[in-house]
Amino acid sequence: MMFSAIPLSRPVPEVLGLGAYLKNTVCATRGAEALLSGDHGDLGTPEAIRAFEASVAALGGRTAPRAVAHDLHPDFHSTRHAGALGLPALAVQHHHAHIAALCAEHGVERPVLGLALDGFGLGPGNESWGGELLLVDGPAYRRLGHLAPLAQPGGDVAAREPWRMAAAALHRMGRGDEIARRFADHRAAALLGQVLARGVNCPATSSAGRLFDAACGLLGVYPVAAFEGQAPMALEAMVSAPRVLDGGWRREEGVLDLLPLLERLTAMDAAAGADLFHGTLVAALADWVEWGARAAGTGTVCLGGGCFYNRVLTGGLTAELARRGLEPLTAARLPPGDPAVSFGQAWVAALAVERGDL
């Protein structure tokens, strides 16, 4: 079984990281390197679970782990498997792990500001997170801010039906009466306004991925997608000249709200909307991060999570942060998304063992 060797800045205690639910990998630290498995797929299939368990066993045979780190979600197979290994176990919040992976890759052990943007990660109070501003200091983190929550009508199904997130945005604008007419091609639209008004099966989420979906739904880009992320990828491909909407966002303390931008998208075509959405999002995030950096007292900013596969977002934001005198760190050897989560978990666990917390 083949594992990639990722160099670390120094030797750390040997631990295991069992990864994310989607695009799962597992990782073990050994001296001044980390051994990372290939992508097993999503841990909802028997094939992925078998591959996951085989990799955990193989890494356990190559190292002498003193602890195991897993996701905060109690229902993931990886979490249950961690409990069966007979090792001290540490639950690591998903977005903390994203930022820790960047710290480990870049050899940074000082406090950093982390901007984590993705589809979903469970928060410590069972919230749906995905647009997070975190102060990360090794095995510890503190949430400084988040994207303004949107309802996610239908729960997980909204991740594959961007029109639902668009409906949630309309409801937040006070325009819920437009939902049935605007999305008449979707049978569920007739009642969705009432469902949103009553809050039935509409969990709130701070997810950046769902914000992208809302924009796509309003612009008519893959209202129903074949897979999560299909619509935002198509929206990115339409960008030609990003531009910024004046007044396109609001920030109250640590909460960043892009509802004014979404309101403007309701009356735009897809190509123009793609330019306005990406340009305004970059500007809004840069302002938010600059505020967070001052609040945290650090100029180092780690950009992690699957939304940073988007090159328009990543390139625009890193350039703008550098222009403001900040130091943005992005994924280089590893992807920015969930395959790197096990690496981040292992780094957090290794530092926790080293500090006597495990």
Side-chain angles (χ1 to χ4, degrees):
M1 188 171 291
M2 297 293 292
F3 297 94
S4 299
I6 311 297
L8 300 174
S9 57
R10 62 178 179 83
V12 295
E14 295 189 357
V15 298
L16 291 171
L18 300 192
Y21 179 81
L22 301 177
K23 302 179 181 66
N24 174 267
T25 62
V26 296
C27 181
T29 52
R30 184 177 65 182
E33 67 178 3
L35 303 177
L36 187 71
S37 77
D39 184 345
H40 302 125
D42 302 345
L43 292 183
T45 68
E47 297 79 12
I49 288 173
R50 282 195 294 270
F52 159 81
E53 292 183 353
S55 289
V56 173
L59 285 175
R62 297 187 187 194
T63 62
R66 295 167 55 183
V68 58
H70 58 85
D71 193 86
L72 196 60
H73 202 298
D75 297 329
F76 288 172
H77 179 77
S78 53
T79 300
R80 294 191 292 269
H81 194 73
L85 292 177
L87 294 168
L90 177 66
V92 180
Q93 200 278 327
H94 183 84
H95 302 100
H96 181 196
H98 271 307
I99 303 309
L102 288 158
C103 291
E105 181 177 352
H106 290 276
V108 175
E109 295 194 48
R110 60 185 179 276
V112 302
L113 184 68
L115 177 63
L117 304 178
D118 64 6
F120 169 76
L122 190 70
N126 292 325
E127 314 95 337
S128 175
W129 286 11
E132 311 304 319
L133 202 57
L134 307 177
L135 173 59
V136 173
D137 185 5
Y141 79 94
R142 179 162 59 91
R143 191 189 200 197
L144 298 180
H146 56 85
L147 295 181
L150 272 177
Q152 191 168 322
D156 290 344
V157 69
R160 297 181 303 281
E161 297 188 9
W163 77 269
R164 290 177 178 264
M165 294 308 303
L170 288 171
H171 172 73
R172 240 200 101 206
M173 296 171 201
R175 295 165 58 179
D177 57 345
E178 297 179 25
I179 294 171
R181 181 175 67 257
R182 191 176 187 109
F183 301 110
D185 292 344
H186 308 283
R187 189 170 63 177
L191 296 176
L192 202 63
Q194 298 176 40
V195 169
L196 282 159
R198 295 173 183 170
V200 178
N201 193 23
C202 295
T205 179
S206 59
S207 167
R210 300 296 77 79
L211 177 70
F212 269 90
D213 287 336
C216 291
L218 292 170
L219 294 169
V221 179
Y222 285 105
V224 177
F227 55 88
E228 182 178 350
Q230 183 182 28
M233 288 166 61
L235 191 69
E236 179 194 0
M238 295 178 186
V239 175
S240 58
R243 59 191 183 88
V244 179
L245 174 64
D246 186 34
W249 67 91
R250 300 185 288 259
R251 182 183 59 78
E252 294 185 14
E253 289 303 314
V255 179
L256 179 65
D257 191 352
L258 286 118
L259 194 65
L261 170 61
L262 296 180
E263 289 187 273
R264 182 68 183 87
L265 297 184
T266 63
M268 298 186 72
D269 65 74
D275 283 342
L276 192 69
F277 179 77
H278 282 81
T280 306
L281 180 61
V282 165
L285 291 173
D287 276 358
W288 191 37
V289 166
E290 186 176 32
W291 167 86
R294 288 197 302 268
T298 177
T300 303
V301 184
C302 293
L303 308 178
C307 289
F308 288 107
Y309 285 113
N310 184 314
R311 294 183 179 181
V312 176
L313 171 64
T314 304
L317 186 55
T318 54
E320 182 59 24
L321 294 179
R323 190 185 70 79
R324 294 173 186 234
L326 300 172
E327 179 191 16
L329 300 180
T330 59
R333 291 197 54 147
L334 298 177
D338 283 1
V341 163
S342 64
F343 182 54
Q345 290 171 339
W347 182 249
V348 169
L351 294 182
V353 168
E354 197 171 63
R355 297 183 187 189
D357 297 333
L358 273 178

